[in-house]
Amino acid sequence: MEALLNTGSTIDEGRLAKGGSKYTDDYTKECAVCWMCAEDFTSLGCPEKVAVISRDRKYSVALSTKVTEAMRSGQVFIPRSIWANVVVEPDTFSTGSPRYKGSPVFVEPTDDVILSAEELVTKMYMGGK
Amino acid sequence: MVYKNIICPVCGGSCDDVQVNLDKENGTIDVQNACKMGSAKFKEVVSSHRLLKPTIRENGKVKDVSWDEALEMAADILVNAKKPFFFLGSETACEAQEVGLHIAEYLGGLADSNATICHGPTVMGIQESGMVGATAGQAKNRADMIVYWGVNALESMPRHMSRYGVFPRGYWTKRGRFDRTMMTVDPRVTPTAAASDLHLQLNPNTDYELLSALFTILNGKEPHPSVEEITGIPISVMKQTVEMMKESNFVAIYVGLGVSSSYGKHRNIEIALNFVKEMNNYTKCNIGALRGHCNVAGFNQLASYLYGYPFGLDFTKGYPRYNPGETTCVDLLREKDVDAAFVMCADLMDHIPADSAQYLADIPMICLDIAPCPSTTAADVVLPGVIDAMECDGTFYRLDNVPVYFEPFTDSPFTETKSNEDTLKQLFAKVKAKKEA
Ligand code: SF4
């Protein structure tokens, strides 16, 4: 499914990030989550986990799903975090600020493991170092 | 011991009424008045995961070292780099950011801050069209219509609505919430939208079109009918919105990343600012950015005052240059245009897109922070941070660009440094000694 990705704060994301708890399970449970509406969730086959993939298909991140009335069809939301930023469009349109809101992404059901923030940085960014 | 009127160093709200009861002996802290985010940070003073020892990475292994060794290695990295990059984060005082900027200038490097990836496009929009601004106090006392556009205030600045925006009793709004109309513009039904009197649930990336249509209506013209399908908002609702604004005594608009970070970027802000200027022909109207990170506004003020540009400063030619898209953090890293990084008081690794984050992990990186996070994991040198407003004094700029001087209620946990400013001064002395040797 193609969707527009929105990222932003949630109160618990803020509480955990500011409280230095980025390497806790609570933080992963709060932020490694893809919000979508019931219609999109059903059309994806009601998956427990989805892979959100960047527009150029270079990057993909596994997340659990959350169904909510806050979203409209064709739009997904990930709390602002390292997971969300894996697939945020890096082009800044000559402003310096990437497209945290409204990046085009693909969403597909997946069985991949959801990485913790620490695993994500070591495996994906540090090449497993 | 109980300390009153402590300033919260977490978001741009800079709440100044936090009450703290710190029991040093038992290592406990009780926090009153702060929101969930603020309280969590105050608990860092006594937390078990606090970074208390400098570390370096040697042959792939991380090891504890003395402050002197860590500073030596940090200085070596910076001096040996051809194009060092300084990310002077917002969770520290202007005093520390100032030293960072001077090191960047001295070494002919580049300097940037959260200000860019947060409201950088907002600042660019202001450069294009100027801004009708107001302090938070003016808006609190006068505004009877509040608009949160592209911002979920309840979750990004949780006390904004209760301290400045919607609930407080102002001089002209004596009944608080009852004297105010609240509107939210957001593609998502956020808690802020749910608490509003009117929610315009626009389609993502259509802020510019919606603002243009409002502008057209304000000028007495009919917008093109296609705008309904593009934005998802009926023209009748747009007209009602403009009327509500015109009939108010004072409209306070707060914009967030929903405007500055979606398609259109600074042009969205530019048209919003022009709309506000035009609205002042009918009623008082102002606009301001809801700045989520603590001292982002401070970096803009400081960099503008010292070097003439608000962010993305390039000193490689020996004088300051500014070219957003070229000299800004995400672009520099994505284009692999710097060869070492100093990251202070911001988890940069967490905030930037994958291409930029991958390169940041590749180059030598020094990180100054208080708790373990992706940036400290990828860093080659980690310098423990001192918590501003709790363990040292200094200056923040609030969301409305009002400077706020803060005083600590406890001391730095380190004998080697009093503050992040102090740490940076020590680093600068080592950099100078190496460069001039
Ligand atoms: S609103 Fe912001 S400044 Fe106020 S207590 Fe919460 S985090 Fe701190």
Side-chain angles (χ1 to χ4, degrees):
Chain A
M1 168 182 104
E2 277 182 42
L4 287 177
L5 169 67
N6 188 352
T7 69
S9 322
T10 68
I11 188 70
D12 284 317
E13 168 272 318
R15 174 179 63 82
L16 293 159
K18 301 297 178 187
S21 305
K22 286 190 176 171
Y23 287 166
T24 61
D25 285 346
D26 284 352
Y27 187 67
T28 309
K29 277 191 197 130
E30 177 63 25
C31 298
V33 182
C34 179
W35 301 23
M36 62 182 78
C37 68
E39 193 187 329
D40 290 348
F41 182 67
T42 317
S43 75
L44 286 171
C46 305
E48 221 167 89
K49 290 185 283 185
V50 286
V52 179
I53 303 158
S54 58
R55 172 161 60 173
D56 54 8
R57 293 205 171 261
K58 202 166 146 193
Y59 298 103
S60 162
V61 64
L63 306 168
S64 54
T65 48
K66 169 175 165 171
V67 181
T68 161
E69 287 179 2
M71 305 304 299
R72 278 181 170 170
S73 180
Q75 302 170 23
V76 293
F77 174 84
I78 310 175
R80 73 167 179 194
S81 60
I82 194 156
W83 294 274
N85 290 331
V86 168
V87 285
V88 156
E89 192 95 334
D91 193 358
T92 71
F93 298 102
S94 290
T95 65
S97 163
R99 223 155 116 190
Y100 294 118
K101 314 274 183 181
S103 284
V105 291
F106 299 101
V107 184
E108 294 168 5
T110 188
D111 288 326
D112 288 356
V113 183
I114 298 172
L115 300 178
S116 70
E118 191 168 19
E119 287 165 343
L120 199 154
V121 71
T122 48
K123 289 191 178 152
M124 194 177 272
Y125 294 161
M126 296 170 70
K129 273 184 250 167
Chain B
M1 176 149 178
V2 176
Y3 304 88
K4 290 188 176 168
N5 300 334
I6 301 297
I7 295 183
C8 173
V10 174
C11 79
S14 300
C15 296
D16 55 5
D17 58 349
V18 179
Q19 187 173 311
V20 172
N21 188 349
L22 177 66
D23 181 347
K24 278 192 186 168
E25 269 174 30
N26 296 314
T28 58
I29 190 166
D30 176 56
V31 185
Q32 303 287 330
N33 297 344
C35 69
K36 267 187 175 181
M37 259 159 57
S39 296
K41 177 102 179 202
F42 276 93
K43 301 218 164 92
E44 288 293 86
V45 170
V46 294
S47 86
S48 55
H49 57 238
R50 178 87 185 265
L51 296 174
L52 292 169
K53 288 210 174 94
T55 58
I56 61 168
R57 183 188 306 278
E58 214 173 50
N59 305 322
K61 293 241 159 25
V62 176
K63 64 170 192 181
D64 289 350
V65 290
S66 68
W67 276 81
D68 199 57
E69 283 172 273
L71 286 169
E72 279 289 325
M73 185 163 163
D76 277 334
I77 290 175
L78 295 173
V79 169
N80 292 327
K82 284 197 191 109
K83 234 176 157 183
F85 169 59
F86 292 77
F87 192 82
L88 307 169
S90 56
E91 292 193 28
T92 192
C94 290
E95 286 78 356
Q97 292 173 341
E98 182 180 353
V99 184
L101 279 164
H102 290 326
I103 307 179
E105 183 189 19
Y106 178 80
L107 288 174
L110 296 103
D112 207 354
S113 176
N114 303 64
T116 310
I117 50 180
C118 173
H119 270 290
T122 308
V123 175
M124 290 174 71
I126 297 170
Q127 289 173 328
E128 293 286 336
S129 35
M131 182 173 84
V132 186
T135 63
Q138 275 175 304
K140 171 190 157 186
N141 282 311
R142 295 168 192 276
D144 55 353
M145 179 161 181
I146 311 293
V147 182
Y148 289 111
W149 192 307
V151 63
N152 176 13
L154 265 179
E155 296 191 282
S156 59
M157 191 178 288
R159 294 183 73 207
H160 186 268
M161 278 168 64
S162 58
R163 272 179 67 83
Y164 309 116
V166 181
F167 297 109
R169 292 161 198 268
Y171 191 82
W172 302 103
T173 44
K174 291 239 171 356
R175 297 183 306 145
R177 175 71 176 98
F178 301 108
D179 281 340
R180 293 193 183 93
T181 308
M182 176 184 170
M183 183 177 119
T184 299
V185 186
D186 203 306
R188 203 159 55 95
V189 189
T190 60
T192 311
S196 302
D197 303 305
L198 179 63
H199 174 206
L200 303 192
Q201 196 174 0
L202 82 172
N203 294 330
N205 292 336
T206 64
D207 302 74
Y208 191 91
E209 288 82 350
L210 181 56
L211 281 157
S212 304
L214 294 177
F215 208 161
T216 308
I217 293 167
L218 186 61
N219 283 326
K221 302 265 165 48
E222 192 69 17
H224 193 273
S226 65
V227 77
E228 288 197 339
E229 199 193 322
I230 292 169
T231 62
I233 310 290
I235 290 176
S236 58
V237 175
M238 295 180 198
K239 285 183 175 167
Q240 190 192 348
T241 305
V242 171
E243 272 322 298
M244 275 164 70
M245 287 185 171
K246 279 162 76 176
E247 280 165 15
S248 303
N249 293 323
F250 190 116
V251 186
I253 303 177
Y254 298 96
V255 289
L257 292 203
V259 189
S260 63
S261 212
S262 52
Y263 198 83
K265 296 275 180 186
H266 58 304
R267 296 297 173 203
N268 296 338
I269 299 291
E270 184 189 358
I271 192 162
L273 293 164
N274 286 333
F275 173 78
V276 168
K277 275 194 256 174
E278 190 70 17
M279 184 55 85
N280 275 282
N281 287 332
Y282 301 90
T283 185
K284 291 198 167 54
C285 180
N286 87 288
I287 185 165
L290 215 83
R291 313 209 63 165
H293 297 282
C294 176
N295 191 29
V296 271
F299 185 84
N300 288 148
Q301 295 288 333
L302 191 69
S304 304
Y305 157 70
L306 289 171
Y307 298 111
Y309 301 116
F311 59 86
L313 296 137
D314 174 4
F315 297 104
T316 51
K317 289 199 179 354
Y319 53 86
R321 278 176 71 242
Y322 159 77
N323 188 17
E326 180 206 347
T327 62
T328 34
C329 167
V330 169
D331 308 275
L332 286 169
L333 294 169
R334 191 194 59 233
E335 298 303 318
K336 303 184 171 38
D337 211 9
V338 289
D339 58 351
F342 177 85
V343 176
M344 169 171 80
C345 299
D347 184 6
L348 183 60
M349 190 62 84
D350 193 295
H351 289 308
I352 51 178
D355 283 340
S356 308
Q358 235 165 22
Y359 185 65
L360 180 62
D362 270 357
I363 57 175
M365 185 198 353
I366 304 140
C367 183
L368 188 158
D369 217 319
I370 61 162
C373 61
S375 299
T376 58
T377 299
D380 298 281
V381 180
V382 176
L383 297 166
V386 178
I387 309 179
D388 292 83
M390 299 187 206
E391 299 168 343
C392 63
D393 68 341
T395 315
F396 293 146
Y397 277 74
R398 208 169 61 180
L399 77 156
D400 51 353
N401 294 315
V402 170
V404 178
Y405 172 70
F406 56 81
E407 285 179 305
F409 57 86
T410 183
D411 302 319
S412 157
F414 311 108
T415 49
E416 296 86 349
T417 185
K418 294 197 300 285
S419 61
N420 298 331
E421 179 194 6
D422 186 8
T423 308
L424 260 74
K425 281 185 171 162
Q426 293 178 35
L427 178 63
F428 199 4
K430 286 203 187 291
V431 165
K432 273 188 183 157
K434 284 185 193 291
K435 195 85 184 163
E436 280 154 27

